[in-house]
Amino acid sequence: MTQNEKLAELSAAGVSVWLDDLSRDLISSGDLAALVDTKSVTGVTTNPSIFQAALSAGTSYDAQVGELAARGADVDATVRTVTTDDVRNACDVLAGVYEATDGVDGRVSIEVDPRLAHDTDATVAQAIELWKIVDRPNLLIKIPATVAGLPAIAKVIAEGISVNVTLIFSVERYRGVMDAYLDGLEAAATAGHDLSKIHSVASFFVSRVDTEVDKRLAAVGSAEAGELQGKAALANARLAYAAYEEVFSGDRFDALVARGGRSQRPLWASTGVKNPDYPDTLYVSELVAPNTVNTMPGKTMDAFADHGWVNTSSITGLGDASQEIFDKIAALGIDFTDVFEVLESEGVSKFEDAWNELLDATAEQLAAAKG
């Protein structure tokens, strides 16, 4: 099969193309394998919203839910079994990519229960449990970058488990995430783990920043505020990449590299464009840099495959210009600390709501299966 030229060019520029979606149909139909062969897909991310959508659509899960009901499985056990089965099977589809890239790609993510986002110990315990249940080396455990999540990240990495840190909105919190990752690698080395087998990405959310900041700029209503709309998210991501380059070229990381340590790649998440006035490939074309990941919903991936373009000058060297944009927005009275707190709180709540909807729908399916 032939790879899509535009997505292949993006991949060649150092951006790993991951799909932000998963369902049993996607796996069983062969469509996921086809995306690897035709659209340069080298990874998959999931979240509670994705699983909620997958389990509520069609009949692909009915037989398994029926079997679990007959065995007396409760709602939590059923959801855990169904989702980990899907992720394990997706890991197997991507096993060839994992081997070919020395473990850098070929990754599939599964998230800890979002209701644990503010409980460090429970997050660590479930991360270890999920790692054992899926039992695949190309798994990533998603842990949110809440205050309670930071020590959990360090402890899970210390166990030799690969982690996708999610729900990062601010550069300040991102620095805390990178620090937690390095803490974890140092502890893993002390414990005798092979650091070359431990991988991590840091999922920096993009479009939601524009959504929140644009709303506040619209409320300001001035011409300058209007000109700054649609600029905060890219500026934020570019500042994050500058922080990444700084941290992963320093003495602390160099000492870990000597022991096999890998850098924690930035992953651009929430890259589907929410404002129809903006180009639908904005958060892909304008976030191109080596050693990054862009995880896209299918719609965004299709749009880029059709008419996207690779701007290789879109991140590196733009730190000062990006900070200037932030300074101008802040000068208009936009409180970025509040923006990021709101986005994190909303992000956790949205995943909690989706998880609860998933539990409710599964409870109904179990009840129906039991008759």
Side-chain angles (χ1 to χ4, degrees), residues 72-81 358-364 366:
D74 63 15
V75 174
D76 285 309
T78 299
V79 168
R80 183 167 57 249
T81 299
L358 174 58
L359 294 175
D360 290 343
T362 304
E364 292 176 7
L366 285 171

Side-chain angles (χ1 to χ4, degrees), residues 264-281:
Q264 181 188 53
R265 291 186 296 166
L267 179 153
W268 311 125
S270 183
T271 56
V273 173
K274 294 175 173 59
N275 186 333
D277 293 334
Y278 299 159
D280 56 3
T281 64

Side-chain angles (χ1 to χ4, degrees), residues 159-364:
E159 294 289 331
I161 294 171
S162 296
V163 173
N164 175 347
V165 184
T166 188
L167 288 176
I168 308 171
F169 294 98
S170 71
V171 175
E172 180 183 9
R173 182 60 56 84
Y174 178 42
R175 287 186 176 277
V177 166
M178 291 188 285
D179 193 52
Y181 173 64
L182 295 179
D183 285 347
L185 280 186
E186 288 163 351
T190 300
H193 290 291
D194 181 353
L195 298 193
S196 71
K197 302 297 185 185
I198 304 172
H199 288 255
S200 184
V201 293
S203 296
F204 204 85
F205 279 52
V206 185
S207 67
R208 295 187 194 182
V209 173
D210 269 345
T211 299
E212 182 64 26
V213 172
D214 283 359
K215 180 174 68 176
R216 299 185 186 208
L217 287 170
V220 172
S222 67
E224 184 181 8
E227 291 172 1
L228 289 167
Q229 288 188 353
K231 295 185 177 180
L234 292 175
N236 199 35
R238 288 161 178 159
L239 289 169
Y241 191 77
Y244 158 77
E245 290 186 302
E246 174 194 324
V247 170
F248 290 102
S249 62
D251 292 343
R252 185 182 181 191
F253 180 62
D254 287 346
L256 289 164
V257 171
R259 306 180 71 169
R262 314 271 194 150
S263 67
Q264 181 188 53
R265 291 186 296 166
L267 179 153
W268 311 125
S270 183
T271 56
V273 173
K274 294 175 173 59
N275 186 333
D277 293 334
Y278 299 159
D280 56 3
T281 64
L282 177 67
Y283 305 122
V284 182
S285 291
E286 296 298 329
L287 290 174
V288 178
N291 302 314
T292 59
V293 181
N294 196 306
T295 186
M296 311 174 209
K299 183 178 178 181
T300 302
M301 187 176 293
D302 289 343
F304 192 88
D306 179 65
H307 53 265
W309 69 291
V310 175
N311 181 3
T312 55
S313 303
S314 58
I315 293 186
T316 306
L318 295 178
D320 290 344
S322 297
Q323 186 59 53
E324 185 178 332
I325 288 170
F326 258 50
D327 292 343
K328 287 180 178 178
I329 293 172
L332 294 174
I334 308 300
D335 183 348
F336 276 107
T337 299
D338 184 66
V339 166
F340 297 136
E341 286 177 355
V342 166
L343 288 171
E344 180 181 298
S345 177
E346 286 182 353
V348 172
S349 293
K350 286 176 181 176
F351 283 167
E352 283 181 349
D353 290 345
W355 196 254
N356 286 327
E357 289 174 15
L358 174 58
L359 294 175
D360 290 343
T362 304
E364 292 176 7

Side-chain angles (χ1 to χ4, degrees), residues 60-104:
S60 299
Y61 299 92
D62 290 359
Q64 185 176 24
V65 171
E67 292 171 6
L68 290 165
R71 281 190 254 152
D74 63 15
V75 174
D76 285 309
T78 299
V79 168
R80 183 167 57 249
T81 299
V82 168
T83 56
T84 54
D85 280 1
D86 277 4
V87 168
R88 185 184 305 107
N89 290 332
C91 282
D92 290 345
V93 172
L94 291 165
V97 177
Y98 171 76
E99 295 293 339
T101 61
D102 190 28
V104 174

